[in-house]
Amino acid sequence: MRIVLPENVKFIIDRLQSAGYDCYAVGGCVRDSLMGREPHDWDFTTSALPGDIERVFDDHKTLDIGKRYGTIAVIRDGVHYEITTYRVDGDYSDTRHPDEVSFASEIGADLSRRDFTVNAMAYNERDGLVDLNGGRGDLQYGVIRCVGDPDERFNEDALRILRALRFAAVLGYSIEQKTSDAILRNRKLLGGISPERIRDELLKLLCGEKADFVLRRYRSVIAVIIPELKGTFDFEQNTKHHNRDVYRHTVAAVRNIEPDPMLRVTMLFHDIGKPLTQTTDKNGACHYRNHQTVGAAMTKEILKRLCMPNLFIDEVCTLIRWHDERFRPDTVLLKGYLRKLGARAMKNLYKVQRADILAQSSYMRDEKLSTLGASYNELTRILESRECYNLRMMAVSGADLIHIGYHTGAEIGDMLEILLDKVIDGTLPNDKEALLSYAKSGFDKA
Ligand code: ATP
Ligand code: MG
């Protein structure tokens, strides 16, 4: 088995070997290389202690990533390469961090502390592939399997539960039976894991090709980290527009949108407000008025708890708040939305609505898609023609108004909004002279 190592990777391994140490590429990069995927980074495991690593690379910039855990980053051509001493993790008093790490002298000990067999392989050109846990076979058959006893491994670090789901979603692998049973049995342990670690794994999971399968099969695990979703499980919708319960519809909507974290998170939560807003009319049909607003508020709390960045939270919540808006191919109307929400959100809303419609029943689907498509075409036309829809695009600014005699901020602000209204509805052209003349007459009257 041969893996083509990049020059810098070979250099690092050679350097440590020439200094008398063992060194291998390890983990995700070996897994990805064997799968024919380009690794996004390369990690190393070595018999050298952190101090030795720093000494061997004393002509390089190095960073102490976690010396206590044996990790030093060597920076070469601007890229960080993490090199970690062979490690065995000590006793665990909680489910997060090893209390102590002891360094090992053999690679076998290091590989057996790793989470899954496909992540527990090492490689260098001298020794070839080191696969002591059957990782290659599991890779061939597409299986996620714990190294060692799954219950023990999840008790040592419960994040591994979510990592298993993440790898299953991203690689499209199945989870081996004993590992899967232990995931379900131990899922509550995820409650003790820091939100930042959960967040990172969850976003990767959601962007996986098989995210839909994992979200369905392991929904009880997802419910530990996001209990608010439980209300959507098996929640029947009772409307012609839907042929799935809210959670199944949600999962289908996640699948229907491109694997971008913001869009996938939006779809995961877009209907979370439905169970709380259901009403039944006299014909027995259900309605969900304001589920967008309620859903956006719930999502904000969830995403804050998961330590997502504020900008990300705001963008997701805007998309959820407006996901059910019926856009029509009407220029004035669309410019009004562009003014309020901006071009980026509007383009994303189109994707969100399309994914949503495709996850609904076929009732009126063609009509919905064709109205949406026509609206999108008009939106694109407006954006490409650079027609004015916000204050920044207007041919006059506050300074121009001051020039013709406006004084207070309020006066200026009000007149600018009036001018924009008129430009958008077509009563005034976006032309400096015409706008100033209108503003002047308004000012003279006042
Ligand atoms: P990615 O493609 O996301 O980088 P990866 O497998 O490289 O996937 P990392 O989080 O970068 O994942 O971890 C590198 C390696 O460290 C893993 O392949 C695995 O061998 C080991 N590892 C990471 N996290 C854990 C954990 N929680 N428990 C045990 N081993 C772990
Ligand atoms: Mg990695």
Side-chain angles (χ1 to χ4, degrees), residues 112-319:
S112 58
R113 71 157 173 100
R114 291 174 185 271
D115 47 8
F116 308 111
T117 59
V118 294
N119 287 344
M121 291 182 278
Y123 181 86
N124 67 24
E125 289 185 343
R126 193 175 66 192
D127 302 334
L129 185 71
V130 184
D131 173 21
L132 306 174
N133 300 283
R136 195 151 157 60
D138 284 341
L139 200 77
Q140 234 147 29
Y141 289 102
V143 176
I144 300 297
R145 182 198 310 269
C146 281
V147 174
D149 179 70
D151 284 307
E152 276 175 30
R153 304 316 307 279
F154 294 140
N155 275 280
E156 286 165 4
D157 178 3
L159 186 72
R160 291 170 186 157
I161 293 173
L162 205 51
R163 283 175 61 85
L165 267 46
R166 187 255 281 198
F167 287 116
V170 170
L171 306 175
Y173 284 13
S174 56
I175 301 179
E176 174 268 334
Q177 192 64 46
K178 284 198 182 114
T179 303
S180 179
D181 292 345
I183 284 174
L184 295 171
R185 226 180 356 256
N186 293 291
R187 63 183 189 276
K188 298 251 160 67
L189 296 174
L190 273 173
I193 296 296
S194 81
E196 291 86 353
R197 295 179 85 203
I198 301 244
R199 171 196 65 203
D200 294 348
E201 292 299 331
L202 180 67
L203 291 178
K204 288 182 190 169
L205 187 168
L206 286 176
C207 290
E209 238 173 86
K210 292 283 156 56
D212 57 333
F213 167 78
V214 171
L215 289 173
R216 266 198 312 273
R217 172 77 183 78
Y218 294 97
R219 69 178 198 182
S220 63
V221 180
I222 302 298
V224 175
I225 49 183
I226 310 162
E228 293 89 340
L229 276 173
K230 266 194 261 182
T232 68
F233 294 173
D234 306 314
F235 191 90
E236 292 301 338
Q237 310 215 42
N238 276 323
T239 124
K240 285 184 281 198
H241 295 278
H242 284 277
N243 56 350
R244 298 179 172 97
D245 65 57
V246 176
Y247 188 68
R248 283 176 178 278
H249 161 73
T250 295
V251 172
V254 168
R255 182 188 55 218
N256 289 342
I257 208 156
E258 66 195 61
D260 165 86
M262 190 197 305
L263 296 175
R264 290 258 160 131
V265 167
T266 298
M267 294 333 284
L268 182 66
F269 295 121
H270 78 286
D271 274 350
I272 199 168
K274 275 191 168 174
L276 287 172
T277 53
Q278 188 185 52
T279 54
T280 309
D281 66 22
K282 56 182 186 312
N283 303 317
C286 289
H287 303 275
Y288 303 91
R289 280 198 194 92
N290 278 334
H291 78 277
Q292 322 86 302
T293 322
V294 172
M298 290 172 76
T299 303
K300 186 170 183 179
E301 292 310 309
I302 296 168
L303 297 183
K304 273 207 288 202
R305 194 176 71 223
L306 288 173
C307 298
M308 301 278 178
N310 286 333
L311 200 62
F312 181 91
I313 299 179
D314 288 346
E315 293 197 49
V316 168
C317 291
T318 300
L319 295 178

Side-chain angles (χ1 to χ4, degrees), residues 8 11-12 15 44 53 57-65 72-83:
N8 282 347
F11 172 88
I12 287 169
R15 238 319 154 94
F44 301 84
I53 301 171
F57 292 97
D58 62 359
D59 56 345
H60 283 65
K61 188 168 162 41
T62 58
L63 282 177
D64 176 357
I65 299 284
I72 299 289
V74 168
I75 300 166
R76 202 172 149 73
D77 297 331
V79 180
H80 289 211
Y81 294 95
E82 291 193 5
I83 309 178

Side-chain angles (χ1 to χ4, degrees), residues 45 74 107 110 126 148 154 193 222 284 325 371 380 413 419:
T45 183
V74 168
I107 180 141
D110 182 88
R126 193 175 66 192
F154 294 140
I193 296 296
I222 302 298
E325 199 74 1
T371 311
T380 312
L419 293 175

